[in-house]
Amino acid sequence: MGILPDLYIEETGLSLAPNIIDEGGSVDITVRIHAGPGLLRNRFSVYFLLDDPQAYSNMIGEVRELSIEPDSYIDINMTWDETIGHAGQRTIYAVADFLDRAEEIDEDNNAAQAELTINPVYTNLRLVEGSLTFSNDHPEEG
């Protein structure tokens, strides 16, 4: 049997640009996935998750059917733009081979995390002629 492959993400292998946004804004996410020696026989996916790296229900994106050559790396990019309702300090996780389809020597080095600040956007409410409308003109907190 040859050398078992290993997918891994270094601790600093996940980056966010920018890492501070307003609700409704978008963030570009990049993760660098490495492969050690040994041929990876199955394709794998990368899942991007919000705040909990093991909760499939917190998935904010995925890239499927990836392959990688031994002793190399690939950069995977995605944009997350569904940030409304997620204000606060958030943690973005990238997990390679989330479903454990690839047989590899170490399953515990497949994830990395990065911090994201999402600032709330406040909307002023204005009552006009008996109807309620939303206005983004000069919003004030409160």
Side-chain angles (χ1 to χ4, degrees), residues 48-61:
F48 297 92
L49 302 120
L50 183 64
D51 295 330
D52 185 346
Q54 298 180 357
Y56 180 81
S57 62
N58 289 5
M59 185 172 62
I60 58 172

Side-chain angles (χ1 to χ4, degrees), residues 33-105:
I33 300 168
H34 297 265
L39 181 62
L40 191 66
R41 300 196 184 279
N42 297 330
R43 293 187 177 273
F44 65 97
S45 299
V46 175
Y47 284 27
F48 297 92
L49 302 120
L50 183 64
D51 295 330
D52 185 346
Q54 298 180 357
Y56 180 81
S57 62
N58 289 5
M59 185 172 62
I60 58 172
E62 69 178 307
V63 180
R64 298 181 183 184
E65 297 298 317
L66 296 168
S67 62
I68 189 171
E69 295 295 319
D71 293 316
S72 66
Y73 66 85
I74 55 174
D75 289 333
I76 306 300
N77 303 295
M78 72 155 285
T79 299
W80 182 44
D81 57 6
E82 297 177 15
T83 60
I84 293 176
H86 295 288
Q89 289 297 121
R90 313 304 284 201
T91 304
I92 304 290
Y93 293 89
V95 182
D97 192 32
F98 183 86
L99 300 175
D100 292 328
R101 291 190 174 154
E103 183 180 354
E104 55 180 312
I105 197 166

